[in-house]
Amino acid sequence: MSSPLAERLRPKTLDDVVGQTHLLGAGKPLRRIIESGTIPNMIFYGPSGIGKTTVASIIAARTNMTLHILNGTQAGVADIKSVIADVGTFASMNGILLYLDEIQYLNKKQQQSLLSYIENGDITLIASTTENPYFAVFNAVISRSTVFEFKPVSAAEMEAAVGRAFRILSEEQGAPIRIEDGVIPHIALGSGGDVRKAMNAAELCALSAEPGENGTGTAMRITTSCRLCRNPSAAAMRMPRSTMRRGCWRRGI
């Protein structure tokens, strides 16, 4: 099964990241830190779907550090010990980078188990949270880290991402997609600053297309009558497939 569109289009460079220009624009603080090659312990704070995991992945690729990814909703003591076990081994030759998503779900003892390693540099921690870290993260971790706030992506920035998504979908399907004026702004506005939600909406519109004659070649058109385009929310995405077909697509000329 193919991975979701949001994953297939995940940026590989800082210049490809949608939004976060206050952190990643030319001369901005987080970009300067990343380009320096010396990565401190950091906490990325902000809502879902706005690039926190993407930026952490880019950092790992640039530094050639050994990357471990844990999610606070699932990680246990054994998972943390597995990361610590790499300290002092061949795997730590270029450093160990731990990306800890949803750190607020780890209890105090679990967070404390990392303190000595992130303080002496054996492990570089990049943690992310959707909750205010000054309330949700253990104070000793905060004091050893730099907090960066990620913000919802603006509608203007989102439009460029949605347009690119439709171009990629057209290439993948091998058929042109004709997009009615207003569709892309509807998706951009309705996503609420969440890039992942916008990508999901674009992909669901494409998946709801009826095949052309003999399964290939016929242009399809997305119109603003599509409920997914006007409101790319979780509720809209649960519409029956037949309903999406009637509302989203019309055969092109």
Side-chain angles (χ1 to χ4, degrees):
M1 179 180 292
S2 177
S3 59
L5 180 65
E7 185 61 33
R8 303 200 300 276
L9 295 185
R10 187 181 293 278
K12 299 296 190 295
T13 70
L14 294 178
D15 290 332
D16 292 334
V17 175
V18 179
Q20 313 314 323
T21 54
H22 65 295
L23 297 176
L24 300 174
K28 297 301 181 181
L30 183 53
R31 189 182 190 107
R32 290 201 307 268
I33 289 172
I34 296 170
E35 290 177 342
S36 76
T38 302
I39 309 301
N41 301 308
M42 297 184 284
I43 296 176
F44 294 165
Y45 161 51
S48 299
I50 58 172
K52 301 188 298 296
T53 301
T54 293
V55 173
S57 299
I58 291 171
I59 291 172
R62 289 177 64 101
T63 60
N64 291 318
M65 300 171 77
T66 298
L67 176 64
H68 291 268
I69 301 176
L70 298 179
N71 188 293
T73 62
Q74 301 171 331
V77 174
D79 299 300
I80 295 174
K81 286 183 176 179
S82 177
V83 177
I84 294 173
D86 274 353
V87 174
T89 69
F90 181 79
S92 66
M93 183 171 60
N94 294 319
I96 297 172
L97 177 63
L98 170 60
Y99 178 63
L100 184 49
D101 195 16
E102 302 291 0
I103 187 176
Q104 73 271 15
Y105 288 106
L106 292 186
N107 61 41
K108 182 177 179 180
K109 184 176 181 180
Q110 289 171 321
Q111 293 186 38
Q112 282 180 317
S113 67
L114 293 167
L115 288 180
S116 62
Y117 299 97
I118 65 175
E119 186 167 33
N120 64 22
D122 287 334
I123 294 174
T124 299
L125 175 68
I126 299 180
S128 70
T129 177
T130 55
E131 299 181 15
N132 189 328
Y134 296 101
F135 295 99
V137 180
F138 184 45
N139 285 339
V141 175
I142 290 284
S143 70
R144 291 164 174 80
S145 308
T146 302
V147 176
F148 293 96
E149 182 178 1
F150 283 55
K151 298 179 179 179
V153 177
S154 71
E157 292 168 321
M158 192 72 75
E159 285 187 25
V162 175
R164 178 171 178 258
F166 280 124
R167 288 194 296 273
I168 297 299
L169 288 166
S170 177
E171 294 172 4
E172 291 179 348
Q173 292 191 0
I177 297 177
R178 300 171 190 251
I179 305 169
E180 186 177 89
D181 289 345
V183 167
I184 291 177
H186 273 307
I187 294 177
L189 284 170
S191 65
D194 185 329
V195 179
R196 187 183 298 113
K197 182 182 289 185
M199 297 299 99
N200 288 343
E203 184 170 30
L204 283 172
C205 280
L207 290 174
S208 70
E210 295 182 8
E213 295 177 6
N214 300 321
T216 61
T218 301
M220 307 300 288
R221 185 158 65 99
I222 306 176
T223 75
T224 53
S225 64
C226 173
R227 287 177 59 191
L228 279 171
C229 299
R230 300 198 325 245
N231 183 24
S233 64
M237 290 178 187
R238 289 195 292 269
M239 287 192 302
R241 191 179 181 88
S242 60
T243 302
M244 290 194 290
R245 283 179 175 167
R246 288 195 299 270
C248 279
W249 292 86
R250 298 175 186 169
R251 291 188 184 278
I253 298 172

